[in-house]
Amino acid sequence: TKVLRQAQAKRLVSADGRFSSRALFPSEGKGKVEFYELWLAGYGREDAEPHAPGTRENLIVTAGKLVLEVGKESFELGKGDAIVFSADVAHSYRNPASEECWMNLVMTYG
């Protein structure tokens, strides 16, 4: 059992400061499945390179709005909406609104 205190968490922040992620699993616990809390500022965007073949992401929006682009497809999501997608292609997270967007993400490696 391990408690992961928010105050002690290491948050990875993008160069422009408009996107961040926090691992919700112990650093020594990396494996086939990872769990993250994501934050995206109003009108922010984060582009992600393709992950290893077979990687899947399961994402739920917990606050705000999100436009998720996966390859050439685009999906509009709001609070409570979830999506599962193949993350072994280029994808991006875009906040179309002024309010912050918060998400939880489970990444599963093939």
Side-chain angles (χ1 to χ4, degrees), residues 40-102:
L40 191 57
Y43 303 114
R45 180 184 179 104
E46 178 69 10
D47 296 314
E49 295 294 322
H51 298 291
T55 301
R56 296 185 57 78
E57 292 189 14
N58 186 332
L59 180 134
I60 183 168
V61 176
T62 58
K65 296 178 182 176
L66 178 72
V67 174
L68 176 69
E69 297 169 3
V70 181
K72 295 181 181 181
E73 293 185 279
S74 182
F75 305 91
E76 294 183 19
L77 305 168
K79 181 180 178 181
D81 291 340
I83 188 168
V84 178
F85 64 96
S86 295
D88 53 5
V89 297
H91 52 287
S92 64
Y93 311 90
R94 183 173 56 84
N95 185 344
S98 59
E99 68 266 4
E100 298 176 333
C101 179
W102 288 88

Side-chain angles (χ1 to χ4, degrees), residues 4 7 11-13 22 34 43 56 73 86 96 102 106 108:
L4 306 170
R11 188 169 289 278
L12 299 177
V13 180
R22 172 174 68 116
E34 296 175 354
Y43 303 114
R56 296 185 57 78
E73 293 185 279
S86 295
W102 288 88
V106 175
T108 307

